[in-house]
Amino acid sequence: MRQAGRVHLTDALARIGDEVVGTQPRPEPATVLVVGLVVLAVVALPATWRVSRHVVTIAHEGAHGVAALLSGRRLAGIRLHSDTSGLTLSRGRSAGPGMVATALAGYVGPSLLGLGAAYLLRERHALAVLWLAVVLLGLLLLQIRNFYGLYAVLVAGLGVFAVSWWGSEPVQSVAAYAGTWFLLLAAPRPVLELQRQRRRGRARDSDADLLARLTPLPGLAWVGLFLLVTVAALGLGASWLLGLLWGR
């Protein structure tokens, strides 16, 4: 029985490996466009944005965590809250390049993740997008330190895993494109919301204001940089996805 279990696990890992490195047919151009328009409506409408914004928060806090680790800081845990806010705690110097990189990563992280996914889709690796999402969510789950965060990441991870394992090829393709469109289209909105809160004096501890305290640049300059990166990533990522309309 134990040997059979090992065989099944080996077969499963081999299947996942083949899907990650393999290529899948691109969907019809009209499908890519329609998926993008549907996602745009989800981001634009207040009712759907209140729910879907949790996905941006997961990517935002995950980006903080990755930046902290890559810059040599010790990740102390991540919390996600039901009001779509989050908190990433890391240990290390309270100033310097590592802290700057960690603070900078949050608002630009979702758009850069979406840009990477768009590149994989351009190269016809839709299943790689889904399986990488499963891996990243699994790693993030290990760092979550509150119940709601565990719930949110677990639901997202199981949802992506179910599509990756049991979904048909068209369903998997649409899911990969929908997730990519969402990261690209949604990333600029929290930046705009951040600046509105800053104007009202409600975001004194925001990433932009933390960066202003760590560097000579004012908070508004950092908000401008966040917006520039997210809009540029949206433009480039959309050109890769919509390149299908022109046969590229």
Side-chain angles (χ1 to χ4, degrees):
M1 294 293 292
R2 187 175 299 175
Q3 183 64 32
R6 289 200 193 99
V7 171
H8 289 316
L9 178 59
T10 301
D11 290 344
L13 292 175
R15 169 186 163 179
I16 294 172
D18 290 341
E19 291 177 343
V20 168
V21 300
T23 59
Q24 294 78 42
R26 292 191 181 100
E28 292 296 321
T31 301
V32 177
L33 182 59
V34 168
V35 170
L37 292 174
V38 170
V39 171
L40 179 60
V42 169
V43 173
L45 296 174
T48 50
W49 175 243
R50 280 194 294 270
V51 177
S52 61
R53 196 186 193 285
H54 288 283
V55 177
V56 181
T57 302
I58 290 173
H60 178 114
E61 299 303 331
H64 278 313
V66 170
L69 291 173
L70 292 178
S71 62
R73 300 178 63 81
R74 290 181 58 196
L75 190 58
I78 296 173
R79 293 176 177 270
L80 304 172
H81 305 126
S82 58
D83 63 355
T84 73
S85 65
L87 178 65
T88 298
L89 298 173
S90 62
R91 297 190 180 98
R93 291 181 57 195
S94 59
M99 192 63 198
V100 171
T102 300
L104 174 62
Y107 279 98
V108 302
S111 62
L112 296 180
L113 188 61
L115 186 61
Y119 175 80
L120 289 174
L121 291 176
R122 190 187 73 166
E123 301 300 314
R124 299 189 300 154
H125 293 297
L127 276 170
V129 170
L130 296 177
W131 283 116
L132 286 173
V134 171
V135 170
L136 292 174
L137 288 167
L139 293 174
L140 179 63
L141 191 66
L142 300 177
Q143 296 296 331
I144 297 296
R145 296 294 182 266
N146 69 321
F147 178 78
Y148 185 83
L150 288 172
Y151 164 77
V153 176
L154 191 59
V155 167
L158 289 176
V160 180
F161 175 81
V163 173
S164 304
W165 191 257
W166 290 293
S168 64
E169 197 169 74
V171 170
Q172 291 167 339
S173 180
V174 167
Y177 275 86
T180 302
W181 271 123
F182 181 80
L183 289 171
L184 293 170
L185 290 166
R189 181 163 181 174
V191 180
L192 299 175
E193 293 173 347
L194 167 64
Q195 184 54 28
R196 283 199 297 269
Q197 291 175 340
R198 292 183 73 252
R199 282 204 308 267
R200 298 169 183 170
R202 299 178 182 175
R204 299 185 186 278
D205 295 323
S206 71
D207 293 345
D209 292 282
L210 174 58
L211 286 163
R213 293 191 290 271
L214 292 170
T215 69
L217 295 177
L220 183 60
W222 288 106
V223 174
L225 179 61
F226 296 159
L227 189 60
L228 177 64
V229 172
T230 55
V231 171
L234 170 59
L236 181 57
S239 72
W240 286 343
L241 297 179
L242 295 175
L244 291 169
L245 297 176
W246 295 278
R248 294 203 299 263

